[in-house]
């Protein structure tokens, strides 16, 4: 699973240490092979696993180019309203956390006084064709997914994906990365659930894989992801700084804040080691008969 680009990098060395640390801890617990923790790690996709900012920037810039002649003064405000800043070329807000059909409907409502629905849909189709012809822009991994997913599977976790993107494009991205077979369940914005942070989607994922909330993780880059983890009462809510969310916002809701989800194995390995330390600690010695008698007399007195 280690790509040539990280064959001798600190990232690879850190991952190898995480594997070794977790295996040592499991050996102390009496399990040297893969086992079930009873938990699932639920990942957001965009901004957590994949850097889709370049794809969204391409889409929004072409959209702006098509729409600006008809509404030159209002457009920048509309773009910021959906979470795209033309100056910084960053994606936040609605674009980062809501289903695609919601985003399109939102833009349609904001431009209906200047564009007919037919005109608007034509522009959107043109934007879609332009961007999805360059599908690689939506498949750029923030970190190598293979080693991280392999670590989680070896240490007994199921893997779920919960994204506002459509389900099939999410599966395509995972297949492109060579990790789809390691993923136990993929839920998209078109899979029939209320959007995040409604806890029903997390409950459905856990029920599908047989996971317990207190053993499970939510990993994401937005406040909505953190709210999902909290509302579903998952044991560990992990915020990552690789996407649209600000650390100052995420830290209020998450249990731990990491640079990227690629740092998750180190965190999980330490949790396993901590459990091993507690479970394998020697029990306190039983009190002697004389000490017990002395204590009993003291209580009676």
């Amino acid at each position: 699973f280690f790509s040539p680009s990280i064959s001798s990098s600190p990232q690879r060395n850190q991952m190898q240490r995480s594997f070794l640390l977790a295996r040592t801890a499991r050996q102390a617990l009496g399990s040297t092979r893969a086992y079930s923790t009873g938990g699932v790690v639920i990942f957001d996709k965009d901004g957590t696993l994949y850097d889709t900012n370049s794809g969204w920037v391409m889409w929004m810039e072409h959209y702006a180019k098509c729409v600006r002649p008809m509404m030159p003064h209002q457009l920048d405000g509309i773009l910021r309203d959906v979470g795209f800043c033309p100056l910084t070329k960053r994606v936040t807000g609605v674009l980062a956390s809501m289903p695609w059909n919601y985003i399109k409907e939102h833009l349609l409502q904001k431009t209906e006084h200047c564009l007919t629905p037919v005109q608007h849909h034509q522009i959107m189709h043109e934007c879609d064709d332009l961007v999805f012809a360059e599908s690689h822009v939506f498949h750029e991994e923030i970190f190598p997914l293979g080693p991280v997913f392999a670590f989680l599977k070896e240490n007994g976790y199921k893997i779920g994906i919960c994204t506002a993107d459509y389900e099939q494009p999410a599966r395509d991205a995972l297949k492109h990365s060579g990790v789809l077979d390691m993923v136990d369940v993929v839920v998209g914005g078109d899979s029939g659930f209320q959007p995040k942070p409604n806890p029903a989607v997390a409950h459905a994922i856990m029920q599908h894989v047989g996971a317990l909330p207190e053993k499970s993780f939510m990993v994401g880059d937005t406040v909505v992801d953190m709210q999902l983890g909290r509302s579903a009462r998952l044991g560990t809510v992990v915020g990552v700084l690789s996407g649209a969310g600000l650390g100052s916002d995420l830290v209020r809701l998450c249990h731990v804040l990491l640079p990227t989800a690629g740092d998750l194995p180190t965190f999980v390995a330490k949790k396993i080691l901590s459990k091993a330390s507690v479970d394998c600690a020697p029990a306190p010695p039983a009190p002697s008969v004389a000490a017990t008698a002395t204590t009993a007399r003291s209580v009676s007195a």
Side-chain angles (χ1 to χ4, degrees):
F1 286 109
F2 293 103
S3 66
S5 62
I6 62 166
S7 59
S8 59
S9 68
Q11 190 175 30
R12 176 188 172 91
N13 294 336
Q14 179 181 344
M15 183 65 67
Q16 289 175 327
R17 286 195 295 270
S18 297
F19 268 97
L20 180 60
L21 184 63
R23 286 170 182 167
T24 301
R26 292 207 323 274
Q27 189 172 18
L29 289 167
S31 175
T32 57
R33 296 182 296 176
Y35 66 106
S36 174
T37 62
V40 59
V41 181
I42 304 173
F43 290 97
D44 169 57
K45 183 175 78 71
D46 298 343
T48 301
L49 302 179
Y50 295 95
D51 181 5
T52 57
N53 194 73
S54 57
W56 276 120
V57 169
M58 184 186 300
W59 196 100
M60 294 303 296
E61 286 187 329
H62 189 73
Y63 177 84
K65 179 182 176 181
C66 295
V67 175
R68 192 175 298 279
M70 289 163 276
M71 45 189 318
H73 304 297
Q74 308 101 312
L75 182 60
D76 284 349
I78 292 173
L79 297 180
R80 291 191 181 93
D81 190 45
V82 298
F84 176 68
C85 179
L87 297 178
T88 62
K89 300 186 185 302
R90 295 299 299 175
V91 171
T92 58
V94 172
L95 284 176
S97 59
M98 297 303 292
W100 185 216
N101 57 343
Y102 178 91
I103 296 167
K104 287 188 174 183
E105 183 63 28
H106 190 78
L107 288 171
L108 178 61
Q109 292 175 1
K110 293 292 184 178
T111 59
E112 61 184 359
H113 60 288
C114 294
L115 294 170
T116 68
V118 172
Q119 287 175 314
H120 197 262
H121 287 306
Q122 287 176 340
I123 291 172
M124 287 195 166
H125 283 310
E126 186 177 324
C127 294
D128 289 348
D129 291 343
L130 172 71
V131 173
F132 294 122
E134 304 289 335
S135 60
H136 65 277
V137 300
F138 284 106
H139 295 164
E140 183 179 344
E141 298 173 21
I142 293 172
F143 57 91
L145 303 188
V148 172
F149 282 19
F151 172 89
L152 294 173
K153 300 301 282 190
E154 177 173 304
N155 286 283
Y157 288 97
K158 303 292 186 180
I159 296 175
I161 307 296
C162 181
T163 176
D165 190 11
Y166 291 158
E167 181 179 334
Q168 191 56 52
R171 289 182 175 277
D172 292 343
L174 295 165
K175 184 177 181 180
H176 183 269
S177 298
V179 297
L180 182 59
D181 289 345
M182 286 190 278
V183 176
D184 297 282
V185 57
V186 179
V187 177
D190 59 341
S191 298
F193 295 95
Q194 291 293 315
K196 298 183 282 188
N198 190 299
V201 63
H203 293 159
I205 289 173
M206 289 186 286
Q207 183 177 13
H208 181 79
V209 301
L212 300 172
E214 64 271 19
K215 302 288 187 180
S216 298
F217 290 69
M218 178 66 212
V219 185
D221 68 301
T222 69
V223 168
V224 171
D225 296 320
M226 305 299 96
Q227 291 171 335
L228 172 62
R230 289 290 189 174
S231 65
R233 300 185 181 277
L234 302 188
T236 307
V237 179
V238 181
V240 293
L241 298 172
S242 53
L246 298 176
S248 57
D249 294 329
L250 300 177
V251 75
R252 298 191 185 103
L253 291 167
C254 67
H255 294 109
V256 60
L257 189 61
L258 301 176
T260 76
D263 298 288
L264 188 63
T266 300
F267 175 74
V268 172
K270 289 178 179 178
K271 283 177 70 75
I272 296 173
L273 184 62
S274 176
K275 176 176 172 56
S277 300
V278 172
D279 290 0
C280 299
S288 64
V289 174
T292 303
T294 300
T295 301
R297 284 196 299 271
S298 298
V299 171
S300 298

